[in-house]
Amino acid sequence: GAGVSQSPRYKVAKRGQDVALRCDPISGHVSLFWYQQALGQGPEFLTYFQNEAQLDKSGLPSDRFFAERPEGSVSTLKIQRTQQEDSAVYLCASSLSGQPQHFGDGTRLSIL
Amino acid sequence: AQSVTQLDSQVPVFEEAPVELRCNYSSSVSVYLFWYVQYPNQGLQLLLKYLSGSTLVKGINGFEAEFNKSQTSFHLRKPSVHISDTAEYFCAVSDRRSGGAQKLVFGQGTRLTINP
């Protein structure tokens, strides 16, 4: 497609379950970012990939959060043993190197 | 490290009136500046960006912003708003030194509501 695609759009999980969120960036975009947006807040940076290399994971809130981009295209954000505070919208963005980021519509995660 | 403060959490205006959304930033290094718009249940769309050059930047949908280095501000303006401008607006900065790794630091957002 023409834009960044994220799936699922909505995810409901019980506390303690593991979840996986997928991001399909714009074709050819080497840079890929994940952000977390809590209700009523601005997005906060989680992690950054350049191709398949994860160059910055300073924003990941705990070791329960893990992201990968094994072939330098699709990325998956995994959250293990989910907690209620993980409820948020998770946004993926991609860009050509040094260019503005294009965002997907996000995955709204609700932890019950 | 950088931080962004959006001074108004909500701004209600009447249709066809002018609007200004305020943004101040703090940074020990030079930054790029951005405004994004977020419609309900959607991701963020870039309105405009300041990279270098003229401090008055024009974006999409009739919006413009002015970079003021001395006041560390990047306020967003539109001379006449439309109902369709109702959305959440985010100001953001990124570190110029990071090259391609331009992670964004966002403000808390300003909800712009246009009343008929």
Side-chain angles (χ1 to χ4, degrees), chain A residues 82-102:
Chain A
T82 52
Q83 303 294 318
Q84 281 198 322
E85 61 263 29
D86 301 334
S87 295
V89 175
Y90 291 84
L91 295 167
C92 176
S94 70
S95 73
L96 296 170
S97 184
Q99 297 300 309
Q101 295 169 38
H102 297 260

Side-chain angles (χ1 to χ4, degrees), chain B residues 13-49:
Chain B
V13 296
F14 288 107
E15 193 172 15
E16 298 183 5
V19 69
E20 178 180 81
L21 306 184
R22 297 180 293 168
C23 172
N24 285 87
Y25 69 92
S26 174
S27 178
S28 57
V29 299
S30 294
V31 295
Y32 297 124
L33 295 145
F34 306 83
W35 275 98
Y36 282 85
V37 60
Q38 186 176 36
Y39 299 102
N41 296 317
Q42 294 186 25
L44 283 76
Q45 180 182 2
L46 180 66
L47 275 179
L48 48 79
K49 60 185 182 293

Side-chain angles (χ1 to χ4, degrees), chain B residues 3-93:
Chain B
S3 66
V4 177
T5 302
Q6 291 183 241
L7 297 158
D8 306 293
S9 59
Q10 297 186 61
V11 173
V13 296
F14 288 107
E15 193 172 15
E16 298 183 5
V19 69
E20 178 180 81
L21 306 184
R22 297 180 293 168
C23 172
N24 285 87
Y25 69 92
S26 174
S27 178
S28 57
V29 299
S30 294
V31 295
Y32 297 124
L33 295 145
F34 306 83
W35 275 98
Y36 282 85
V37 60
Q38 186 176 36
Y39 299 102
N41 296 317
Q42 294 186 25
L44 283 76
Q45 180 182 2
L46 180 66
L47 275 179
L48 48 79
K49 60 185 182 293
Y50 173 75
L51 304 180
S52 64
S54 173
T55 57
L56 182 62
V57 180
K58 294 191 182 296
I60 63 172
N61 300 342
F63 284 94
E64 64 181 30
E66 186 154 20
F67 170 54
N68 188 318
K69 187 175 183 179
S70 63
Q71 296 186 5
T72 60
S73 67
F74 190 54
H75 301 333
L76 181 70
R77 303 185 183 100
K78 186 170 182 177
S80 177
V81 295
H82 189 267
I83 291 284
S84 60
D85 293 323
T86 296
E88 191 88 18
Y89 291 79
F90 292 95
C91 181
V93 302

